[in-house]
Amino acid sequence: MKCQECQKRPATIHFTKIINGEKTEVHLCEQCAQEKGNVIMFNNTSGLSINNLLAGLFNFNPNIEHTQKNALHPNEIIQCDHCGMTLNQFIEIGRFGCANCYDAFQDQVTTILKRLHEGNWKHRGKIPQRSGGNIHLRKKIDILKETLQSLVAREEFEKAAEVRDEIRLYEQQLQEGGE
Amino acid sequence: MSLERFLNQSVSPWMNAEGPESDIILTSRIRLARNLKNHAFPTISSQEEAKKVLEKFQGMIPLLNLYPLKDAEFLKMEHLQPLHKQVLVEKHLISPNLAEQSSHGACLLSQDEVISIMVNEEDHIRIQCIFSGLQLEEAFNLANAVDDQLEQHLDYAFSEVRGYLTSCPTNTGTGLRASVMMHLPGLVMTQQMKQLIPSINQLGFAVRGIYGEGSEALGNIFQISNQMTLGKSEQEIILDLKNVVEQIVQQERSARESIVKTAGIQLEDKVWRSLGILKNSRIIETKEAAKCLSDVRLGIDIGYIENISKNILNELMILTQPGFLQQYAGGPLRPFERDVRRATLIRERLLLEKNS
């Protein structure tokens, strides 16, 4: 196979780039890879530093199912299309490059957050007033639904009915707001 | 500069105030981490991008006309003298990282120094509020109000599922770090602190000495803070921390009582000797000063020592750090000169107590 950049030298470096879930196969010769800067990232990743906290978190995962799902294929590069950070760079430095990295590395982020926050991966705190939009309403409904479940479990049906009506009211508001 | 003038300029109101449980709890601190949408985080951002973020923030300052951000002072790191930055770090108003490594880093500081907003630290924006004693809710309410004000003018990076998106995944979600600084000589003397730390850790809270390096806690001062920022509401995080802290306060009180009961005279001896050292030494290192200040503060709390104000520990722990000593001296000092200067400052400060 010839290098896809220069079309002259044989391709010796093969990897898959994943940008926003879109896979691209890349075949380069060593010279072109170096010019494109890909090989540098690539070399960095070959040995994940054990000292690194995040790398440690990521590699040590008792949940086998998860490990397989999120395992890094040695020849794949997952990259954020906003800031250009790769997943491996993120794991190495332990810091996101921008807000979009959270989406770009979505599957791995969930695993990491769970390990850092006692199994939690979902925000339950403040929602910004202005940019929060109708998240406020939806969150309220979520919390009420949880309350409803626990009320039913405790067989407090009268209270449960009240909560159910409240949920309906909010859901109506949500629909009206959405139209 | 006279000592009184230096103190007036250096001591933040929250160092002097006596909040609830202030015999054991020195300060309560809240920090909220926030980032702007569509800008790379400061850890990787280019100079130009960092500058843009700074300009965005600066452009918004005139719009913050509500108390307490009115008349706040805007300090750009590149315009500050190294010594001035060091003093701000020693007061806990900015982080060492902002002072030394940030590009286009800045800090918006309220007049009373209760609120400080750091720009271009690890996150674009970090709001911090410090209150005296145990006042976590109060500090949070203020930080929250400041956050609401900023959010009116800035587009935050926020996701419904992950919450506030931060540079480090350890802050994701609420972006909230709540911490309490505690003076725990009783638990250290009775050797209980060593056992207590692992159990506090197990509850999801970090314990560290805030002065000194590594595990060593200078002046028996410890900082307890939440580690988890995701999956709990801000109120829950604060309540959980408050509960743990209140239990530690109880244990510290009973440790003090039992020392007074079983070894009262030894404790009294220790306290008075330490006061003697502070009053008379001509050269004193940080470590010894911290130990003696802790003893004297304990002596004041128990009632052995009268006529010395309680905040002497909070105040002198901060003012005897290298940056402050050099500011007081009006220029750079070598370590040995600092030890001399430290001893002088402490002696003069104690004399001030007598005169008042």
Side-chain angles (χ1 to χ4, degrees):
Chain A
M1 185 183 283
K2 278 186 181 165
C3 168
Q4 63 184 56
E5 269 303 296
C6 60
Q7 305 287 353
K8 283 179 206 157
R9 290 176 288 266
T12 51
I13 291 161
H14 312 274
F15 57 91
T16 314
K17 247 188 178 176
I18 305 175
I19 298 180
N20 281 4
E22 214 172 290
K23 290 191 183 188
T24 338
E25 301 272 326
V26 183
H27 309 279
L28 299 170
C29 68
E30 210 158 312
Q31 217 168 324
C32 292
Q34 228 149 20
E35 276 167 21
K36 292 199 89 178
N38 281 322
V39 80
I40 300 160
M41 292 173 208
F42 203 60
N43 279 347
N44 277 347
T45 66
S46 50
L48 287 176
S49 134
I50 311 165
N51 300 335
N52 187 289
L53 172 76
L54 272 189
L57 285 177
F58 196 66
N59 290 335
F60 172 65
N61 191 331
N63 189 339
I64 295 164
E65 203 185 330
H66 245 95
T67 316
Q68 281 174 344
K69 191 179 147 214
N70 295 336
L72 283 177
H73 296 287
N75 284 350
E76 276 182 4
I77 293 177
I78 300 179
Q79 194 174 17
C80 169
D81 63 342
H82 278 229
C83 67
M85 182 172 278
T86 64
L87 176 62
N88 289 314
Q89 284 174 323
F90 161 64
I91 288 171
E92 196 140 316
I93 64 173
R95 301 284 188 279
F96 292 104
C98 71
N100 188 65
C101 290
Y102 278 88
D103 292 331
F105 315 141
Q106 202 173 357
D107 292 344
Q108 291 77 13
V109 166
T110 303
T111 312
I112 288 168
L113 289 177
K114 275 185 176 173
R115 288 205 58 84
L116 288 171
H117 300 281
E118 297 173 23
N120 294 301
W121 54 277
K122 230 177 154 177
H123 179 56
R124 290 171 54 98
K126 184 177 177 179
I127 299 159
Q129 289 178 338
R130 195 171 50 83
S131 52
N134 61 16
I135 302 176
H136 286 281
L137 213 53
R138 274 186 279 144
K139 283 261 171 178
K140 218 184 252 176
I141 294 170
D142 280 351
I143 291 167
L144 283 174
K145 279 184 180 163
E146 276 176 35
T147 318
L148 180 65
Q149 273 184 352
S150 70
L151 283 174
V152 171
R154 277 182 277 142
E155 300 189 2
E156 295 180 40
F157 297 116
E158 264 176 55
K159 276 187 194 165
E162 281 172 31
V163 173
R164 185 202 57 205
D165 292 343
E166 211 178 331
I167 293 174
R168 279 189 189 156
L169 194 74
Y170 286 132
E171 280 177 338
Q172 243 168 12
Q173 279 181 28
L174 197 63
Q175 276 183 343
E176 282 159 17
E179 277 164 16
Chain B
M1 205 191 310
S2 81
L3 181 62
E4 273 163 299
R5 221 183 117 218
F6 172 68
L7 290 176
N8 283 337
Q9 285 177 6
S10 312
V11 177
S12 312
W14 51 261
M15 286 185 219
N16 277 335
E18 287 185 11
E21 318 277 10
S22 64
D23 54 332
I24 291 168
I25 299 178
L26 307 180
T27 58
S28 300
R29 198 146 43 122
I30 294 289
R31 187 220 65 199
L32 296 174
R34 301 289 186 253
N35 284 287
L36 305 186
K37 244 187 212 171
N38 306 327
H39 286 282
F41 294 155
T43 36
I44 66 149
S45 72
S46 62
Q47 288 278 340
E48 301 98 85
E49 183 134 36
K51 198 179 167 200
K52 266 190 222 160
V53 170
L54 181 68
E55 281 166 358
K56 235 182 203 182
F57 184 88
Q58 200 176 356
M60 179 209 62
I61 295 173
L63 305 171
L64 304 172
N65 46 13
L66 285 163
Y67 173 84
L69 286 174
K70 209 178 167 216
D71 302 325
E73 196 181 357
F74 192 58
L75 305 164
K76 283 188 185 172
M77 288 305 123
E78 52 184 351
H79 295 157
L80 293 185
Q81 298 294 320
L83 199 57
H84 190 179
K85 285 195 255 186
Q86 195 179 346
V87 163
L88 290 172
V89 170
E90 289 174 1
K91 274 185 174 180
H92 308 294
L93 296 176
I94 63 172
S95 66
N97 180 15
L98 185 81
E100 284 149 29
Q101 291 176 4
S102 66
S103 67
H104 295 285
C107 165
L108 184 68
L109 192 59
S110 71
Q111 287 256 304
D112 55 7
E113 300 188 348
V114 166
I115 306 169
S116 87
I117 305 172
M118 287 187 275
V119 185
N120 279 330
E121 214 254 12
E122 186 184 288
D123 295 296
H124 290 137
I125 293 172
R126 287 193 160 190
I127 304 165
Q128 178 188 270
C129 292
I130 307 185
F131 276 59
S132 68
L134 183 57
Q135 301 193 72
L136 284 167
E137 286 103 337
E138 290 81 354
F140 173 71
N141 290 340
L142 182 60
N144 198 31
V146 171
D147 182 43
D148 286 342
Q149 270 199 57
L150 298 188
E151 204 256 330
Q152 294 306 315
H153 310 289
L154 300 171
D155 289 326
Y156 281 161
F158 179 83
S159 122
E160 183 173 355
V161 181
R162 311 286 192 210
Y164 292 93
L165 305 178
T166 53
S167 169
C168 182
T170 54
N171 297 319
T172 307
T174 55
L176 168 71
R177 187 81 64 230
S179 57
V180 169
M181 215 201 284
M182 307 182 83
H183 182 223
L184 303 173
L187 290 173
V188 173
M189 262 182 242
T190 55
Q191 312 270 327
Q192 292 179 73
M193 204 56 207
K194 277 187 199 120
Q195 298 155 19
L196 206 56
I197 290 175
S199 45
I200 300 171
N201 290 339
Q202 273 188 339
L203 293 169
F205 297 93
V207 185
R208 62 185 187 98
I210 144 149
Y211 301 102
E213 282 152 29
S215 58
E216 185 187 40
L218 276 185
N220 300 318
I221 295 174
F222 295 86
Q223 179 173 279
I224 324 278
S225 59
N226 66 304
Q227 284 187 300
M228 203 171 111
T229 58
L230 187 69
K232 281 202 253 181
S233 72
E234 288 81 356
Q235 287 73 17
E236 287 169 323
I237 291 172
I238 286 167
L239 193 67
D240 288 352
L241 175 62
K242 197 180 165 198
N243 286 337
V244 169
V245 163
E246 276 171 346
Q247 283 180 45
I248 301 171
V249 168
Q250 286 307 320
Q251 296 205 29
E252 169 66 21
R253 291 234 166 88
S254 59
R256 289 181 186 185
E257 264 167 46
S258 78
I259 301 169
V260 171
K261 244 182 237 162
T262 58
I265 187 71
Q266 285 97 325
L267 182 65
E268 207 174 334
D269 179 66
K270 185 178 159 91
V271 164
W272 285 105
R273 278 170 183 271
S274 287
L275 183 60
I277 291 172
L278 293 177
K279 271 185 175 166
N280 296 297
S281 68
R282 275 12 186 201
I283 305 165
I284 194 162
E285 285 181 20
T286 312
K287 207 170 166 179
E288 191 182 15
K291 180 199 155 287
C292 292
L293 285 167
S294 170
D295 289 344
V296 168
R297 172 68 205 253
L298 180 62
I300 297 168
D301 288 336
I302 291 175
Y304 294 148
I305 299 176
E306 288 164 4
N307 305 326
I308 295 184
S309 68
K310 286 186 167 191
N311 54 45
I312 199 134
L313 171 73
N314 324 12
E315 191 185 294
L316 285 178
M317 278 304 285
I318 291 173
L319 298 187
T320 55
Q321 295 174 96
F324 269 107
L325 288 174
Q326 295 179 68
Q327 199 191 42
Y328 181 37
L333 295 171
R334 283 178 289 131
F336 176 73
E337 293 170 330
R338 277 185 229 154
D339 293 345
V340 174
R341 199 79 206 187
R342 182 177 297 113
T344 314
L345 190 145
I346 292 171
R347 285 202 320 274
E348 287 177 0
R349 179 66 187 85
L350 288 168
L351 276 175
L352 225 55
E353 288 281 326
K354 249 186 204 162
N355 298 338
S356 57

